[in-house]
Amino acid sequence: MTLSHAYRLCEQIVRTRARNFSYGIRLLPEPKRQALSAVYALARRIDDIGDTEGPSEQRLTGLSEVRDALCRIGPGETNLVLLALDDAARRYPIPLPAFDELIDGCAADVRGTTYQSFDELLGYCRCVAGSVGRLSLGVFGADDHRKAEPLADALGVALQLTNILRDVREDRLSGRVYLPSKDLERFGCTLDLDARGRFTDPPDRLAALVGHEAARARDWYEEGARLVRLLDRRSAACTMAMAGIYRSLLDRIAADPLRALAARSSLPTWRKTAIAVRAVAGPRR
């Protein structure tokens, strides 16, 4: 298999497994599109190991194996995703150690870690999503990297908070709760489910809880949006498309919290396309 095969595989993974992100990634010029596809393909693989069914020890071993493989990554790599990533890291200053943080976050998922406070949840979000923001920044480049890095991290946090709100019921059915215990206590919620998989908390309390978390996520979007001004035009368009899709998803969740808690929220294809088209036009002045 050649390097071109490796990149094609990564781009296919992005198209089929990271559909929201694919709207932004396709706006990049080919070299950056290939490099960012390699980053997301490995991130997807790490997520899949953490989310797969099976004994927790087996999944933790799988995550450790990826960590070890990253330490040995090089030109003679036989794994196609790692082959593409190695090439991408030679062409762009991609901070590969950030994958260690993503692996740490996925390991916390496997162990069933819960979070007492938002600060604890924030640490998790920075591991699993802020890390990907910083990896992406390595591909994008920036006028002022020191200024850009915390903004890329903030945007990753915003996207992860949106994911958490989108998947509250799905995660609960799997035995996972990400929302901080202090927030649940504040709004008088338990997130307990009845026999039909419906939340037993009073609807008004659930709606208030989701509204609070959505407002918090919006603050992180506002902070992360400042990144766009530090990027070149195509990288900015990619970022605006990805962030815009997730921000619109957050708005949908906040507009009807109870519906979002009853079924996984998503945006129609036409809406994602429209957001990507607007991103190409650039930020409004």
Side-chain angles (χ1 to χ4, degrees):
M1 290 289 187
T2 65
L3 187 58
S4 61
H5 285 108
Y7 276 124
R8 280 201 295 272
L9 172 63
C10 292
E11 292 188 88
Q12 180 185 7
I13 290 171
V14 169
R15 284 194 302 271
T16 58
R17 301 298 313 284
R19 292 177 184 174
N20 286 340
F21 289 121
S22 71
Y23 285 86
I25 292 176
R26 71 182 64 173
L27 302 179
L28 293 170
E30 184 177 17
K32 287 188 176 184
R33 186 180 70 243
Q34 290 179 330
L36 196 53
S37 293
V39 168
Y40 275 89
L42 183 60
R44 180 73 264 169
R45 175 171 293 179
I46 293 168
D47 282 344
D48 286 347
I49 293 171
D51 289 340
T52 191
E53 295 182 3
S56 59
E57 286 306 314
Q58 182 178 321
R59 287 180 282 160
L60 291 172
T61 296
L63 291 172
S64 294
E65 288 172 351
V66 175
R67 197 191 302 270
D68 292 343
L70 278 165
C71 291
R72 300 190 304 268
I73 193 170
E77 183 60 58
T78 57
N79 179 283
L80 289 180
V81 170
L82 292 177
L83 176 63
L85 182 63
D86 175 65
D87 180 73
R90 291 173 187 278
R91 292 188 288 117
Y92 298 99
I94 299 171
L96 293 182
F99 277 112
D100 283 333
E101 297 174 60
L102 175 56
I103 292 169
D104 289 341
C106 289
D109 286 342
V110 173
R111 296 187 181 102
T113 303
T114 55
Y115 305 95
Q116 293 295 311
S117 65
F118 178 70
D119 283 345
E120 290 182 7
L121 178 62
L122 179 58
Y124 166 78
C125 291
R126 284 184 162 141
C127 278
V128 298
S131 60
V132 178
R134 282 174 265 123
L135 286 160
S136 301
L137 183 62
V139 176
F140 294 151
D143 293 337
D144 186 333
H145 193 87
R146 193 157 72 175
K147 252 188 204 177
E149 190 170 280
L151 300 178
D153 186 90
L155 203 51
V157 169
L159 268 60
Q160 186 62 28
L161 291 175
T162 303
N163 277 338
I164 288 170
L165 286 176
R166 179 193 64 189
D167 297 337
V168 171
R169 181 173 179 272
E170 185 177 311
D171 287 333
R172 186 65 185 85
L173 288 169
S174 299
R176 293 179 183 172
V177 174
Y178 290 96
L179 297 181
S181 297
K182 289 183 178 178
D183 289 354
L184 297 180
E185 292 170 8
R186 174 181 174 184
F187 291 95
C189 294
T190 64
L191 297 187
D192 289 340
L193 300 172
D194 63 20
R196 298 175 63 181
R198 298 175 302 189
F199 290 109
T200 59
D201 295 310
D204 60 327
R205 295 182 187 179
L206 287 170
L209 172 65
V210 172
H212 172 74
E213 304 299 347
R216 179 178 272 157
R218 286 194 192 99
D219 290 342
W220 285 95
Y221 277 112
E222 292 300 319
E223 176 70 11
R226 295 164 50 207
L227 173 65
V228 169
R229 302 292 183 181
L230 302 177
L231 304 178
D232 65 75
R233 185 178 63 84
R234 299 278 288 274
S235 296
C238 172
T239 301
M240 286 191 296
M242 292 190 290
I245 287 170
Y246 274 86
R247 178 63 188 265
S248 291
L249 178 60
L250 177 68
D251 290 343
R252 172 170 287 204
I253 292 168
D256 194 347
L258 298 181
R259 182 179 180 183
L261 289 171
R264 197 173 197 256
S265 298
S266 63
L267 297 180
T269 299
W270 69 263
R271 177 70 176 142
K272 296 176 187 178
T273 302
I275 292 170
V277 169
R278 284 204 305 272
V280 173
R284 295 177 181 175
R285 300 290 178 180

